[in-house]
Amino acid sequence: MERHYMDSKIKGVSTGTTILAVTFNGGVIIGSDSRASMGGNYVCSKTINKLIQVHDRIFCCIAGSLADAQAVTKTAKFQISLHSIQMESPPLVKAAASVMKELCYNNKEELQAGFITAGWDKKKGPQVYTVALGGMLLSLPFTIGGSGSTYIYGYTDAKYKPDMSREECLQFATNALALAMGRDNVSGGVAHLVVITEGGVEHVVIPGDKLPKFHDE
Amino acid sequence: MSSIGTGYDLSASTFSPDGRVFQVEYAMKAVENSSTAIGIRCKDGVVFGVEKLVLSKLYEQGSNKRIFNVDRHVGMAVAGLLADARSLSEVAREEASNFRSNYGHNIPLKHLSERVAMYVHAYTLYSAVRPFGCSFILGSYDQDDGPQLYMVDPSGISYGYWGCAIGKAKQAAKTEIEKLQMKDMTCRELVKEVAKIIYIVHDEVKDKAFELELSWVGEVTNGKHELVPKDVREEAEKYAKDSLEEEDDSDEENM
């Protein structure tokens, strides 16, 4: 609710958006729509990338002011990269999420962007963290964000199961995105999904006409 | 012994013709003048033992500690100039705290020791400051990485160890440590051996009274670095004293 209200106050390009991240047995799936809007009336871009890779197995989904989100993720990517080289090992997802949180919290007056950090690391496996507007960091089995998320809280709360298989999780994420994009005017375009596992990272793109259709479509 | 540095030893920013930085070597001498500290890593933890010489009967027992807590899971035992060591323990504490603030988890010991070593090294580069006159041993225990032990010396290098000793009796202590099979021992067994080694290397003639400081971190303390509890310490000291008497007895028999 809060984010929906805030988005309409964002000057310039915003990602009125739907983003989500869901853990499954062996990995995590993150997804987003691809619409960037200005003022709630004009679509700036139909094909924007909201899934930013900050390290080999760690991605960030962005919501809110696009400029702020890009600035934060660029900085975070640099810091996480340096940290990983100094540690001589891939970074923990928690560490990446903490870096995002520090940036959001310390600059909370100027920034208007929220993130979902998700990925896989050797210590704790697949994880999802949400970094809210003011810099709150929370670890969850799955999370949704952006203006479109308000329309799918019911669906995700009802349909999420822990320890899903990759296919079940992919279907869950696709359905959730389709439902949100169907009702939120500032979410739309194509559905971007990324599957992160120990073995690697796989992108899935579902164009608008191939998204699952529901009863009234 | 060491050659006189005449002229080349006035500041840390000068090399000698044979490629030595004398100020750093003199700093290491300061460490060798201090009483011994040892750290040993075993199967499930790390144990520190420090021979704390008591210079006056008026000293309060337990004061002037030489083992510091750097973070919940990290301990630091020092030898050399105590004031320098205290200042470095604050540096280490800040590093560990900043790391946790930025990255959300405990600092890995290798990284901490490298950061503090880098700080110590910085003081060996300029004539405006002098090198730190202390060496220290860092130890930690973590669920995933297990026990770790690192030593940093005044030149600013950090080494990883299974067992190490610093201070005046470090050679004798190292010899004793090498006799141990620490990879197969638990903390409880090791704490007695550490006490024994300190008692062995203590020079009764030159230095009289001493206090034994013992601390550990491992599975036995659930990953928290703390001074060894009173009953364990008393048991360890008793074991140490008894072993020494046995050795004295066996010496007499040989004669």
Side-chain angles (χ1 to χ4, degrees):
Chain A
M1 301 324 152
E2 181 204 61
R3 251 176 255 128
H4 180 80
Y5 172 73
M6 289 302 269
D7 276 342
S8 57
K9 299 261 180 185
I10 293 170
K11 290 209 193 91
V13 181
S14 97
T15 54
T17 198
T18 311
I19 49 175
L20 49 76
V22 193
T23 53
F24 66 92
N25 191 0
V28 58
I29 292 184
I30 56 168
S32 77
D33 71 311
S34 68
R35 178 174 294 178
S37 54
M38 215 149 86
N41 293 338
Y42 171 63
V43 176
C44 296
S45 170
K46 295 184 256 187
T47 53
I48 205 132
N49 177 31
K50 301 181 194 179
L51 304 178
I52 317 285
Q53 183 164 26
V54 291
H55 208 266
D56 292 355
R57 297 276 183 281
I58 308 178
F59 275 72
C60 269
C61 320
I62 58 182
S65 153
L66 200 49
D68 289 352
Q70 284 184 348
V72 171
T73 48
K74 273 203 169 68
T75 311
K77 188 172 179 180
F78 161 72
Q79 286 185 7
I80 293 162
S81 201
L82 182 61
H83 172 69
S84 167
I85 289 170
Q86 285 178 332
M87 293 290 119
E88 291 173 0
S89 73
L92 297 181
V93 186
K94 187 171 192 185
S98 282
V99 167
M100 302 286 300
K101 174 261 289 174
E102 281 291 293
L103 288 167
C104 288
Y105 183 74
N106 292 333
N107 296 298
K108 62 158 76 183
E109 309 301 325
E110 283 87 22
L111 292 173
Q112 225 170 35
F115 305 90
I116 297 177
T117 305
W120 184 95
D121 67 47
K122 199 158 145 213
K123 189 165 172 179
K124 277 168 106 180
Q127 296 146 73
V128 166
Y129 293 88
T130 174
V131 181
L133 224 48
M136 171 188 80
L137 174 64
L138 209 53
S139 169
L140 298 156
F142 79 97
T143 191
I144 55 181
S147 58
S149 68
T150 54
Y151 303 101
I152 51 171
Y153 273 105
Y155 175 78
T156 54
D157 283 345
K159 288 291 183 181
Y160 173 75
K161 291 179 300 180
D163 272 331
M164 286 186 274
S165 73
R166 186 183 173 281
E167 284 61 40
E168 283 179 303
C169 192
L170 212 45
Q171 194 58 55
F172 170 74
T174 314
N175 285 350
L177 280 174
L179 286 165
M181 282 153 71
R183 286 294 183 180
D184 186 23
N185 67 323
V186 285
S187 297
V190 308
H192 284 291
L193 291 151
V194 174
V195 184
I196 309 170
T197 57
E198 179 178 4
V201 160
E202 191 201 326
H203 289 264
V204 178
V205 177
I206 306 175
D209 56 347
K210 301 273 193 310
L211 282 171
K213 294 196 189 318
F214 298 92
H215 66 95
D216 60 350
E217 296 173 279
Chain B
M1 237 195 66
S2 58
S3 60
I4 305 168
T6 339
Y8 300 111
D9 61 348
L10 296 174
S11 85
S13 66
T14 314
F15 274 105
S16 75
D18 51 349
R20 296 153 73 174
V21 181
F22 279 106
Q23 278 296 309
V24 174
E25 296 192 15
Y26 294 164
M28 301 209 221
K29 283 258 167 293
V31 178
E32 278 168 35
N33 287 338
S34 133
S35 64
T36 322
I38 65 175
I40 308 184
R41 168 184 163 189
C42 62
K43 193 166 61 177
D44 64 350
V46 169
V47 180
F48 290 119
V50 177
E51 170 205 11
K52 197 168 67 176
L53 297 178
V54 176
L55 298 169
S56 158
K57 275 186 232 155
L58 297 171
Y59 275 172
E60 184 190 344
Q61 204 202 31
S63 69
N64 275 11
K65 287 209 190 327
R66 286 185 38 197
I67 299 182
F68 302 97
N69 244 322
V70 164
D71 197 350
R72 189 184 178 274
H73 65 303
V74 178
M76 173 169 154
V78 307
L81 300 176
L82 195 47
D84 286 9
R86 284 208 188 112
S87 150
L88 281 173
S89 76
E90 273 306 306
V91 168
R93 282 168 183 159
E94 256 189 75
E95 280 292 334
S97 169
N98 284 340
F99 186 94
R100 180 180 278 109
S101 184
N102 285 332
Y103 302 109
H105 65 97
N106 286 347
I107 187 168
L109 194 66
K110 181 162 193 276
H111 186 69
L112 175 62
S113 72
E114 277 168 7
R115 295 286 298 182
V116 187
M118 212 166 28
Y119 187 90
V120 169
H121 170 250
Y123 281 72
T124 67
L125 297 169
Y126 310 105
S127 59
V129 294
R130 63 162 176 82
F132 284 95
C134 64
S135 285
F136 49 94
I137 314 174
L138 292 163
S140 83
Y141 178 79
D142 175 71
Q143 279 277 357
D144 304 296
D145 304 322
Q148 304 276 319
L149 186 68
Y150 283 85
M151 195 263 281
V152 178
D153 69 12
S155 66
I157 317 186
S158 81
Y159 306 88
Y161 284 95
W162 276 96
C164 67
I166 48 180
K168 59 171 65 149
K170 73 171 188 225
Q171 272 310 112
K174 276 193 191 142
T175 320
E176 292 301 318
I177 293 174
E178 277 167 21
K179 293 182 193 162
L180 295 174
Q181 297 288 347
M182 66 277 287
K183 292 183 195 178
D184 304 320
M185 296 171 82
T186 64
C187 273
R188 286 199 186 276
E189 296 160 6
L190 188 57
V191 92
K192 293 193 280 203
E193 297 300 329
V194 165
K196 180 175 161 200
I197 294 174
I198 295 285
Y199 268 85
I200 292 175
V201 305
H202 173 67
D203 189 340
E204 280 293 336
V205 177
K206 284 202 199 137
D207 315 306
K208 285 152 203 155
F210 80 102
E211 239 184 77
L212 172 63
E213 240 181 280
L214 279 175
S215 79
W216 58 3
V217 58
E219 244 186 89
V220 64
T221 63
N222 236 330
K224 180 167 179 276
H225 174 257
E226 51 192 28
L227 290 177
V228 149
K230 191 151 169 268
D231 54 333
V232 178
R233 188 156 70 87
E234 281 168 4
E235 192 196 337
E237 286 195 272
K238 185 169 176 302
Y239 172 84
K241 287 183 186 143
D242 290 345
S243 317
L244 278 175
E245 274 175 25
E246 263 177 40
E247 284 183 20
D248 285 344
D249 288 341
S250 67
D251 283 341
E252 281 170 15
E253 280 169 24
N254 287 336
M255 287 165 67

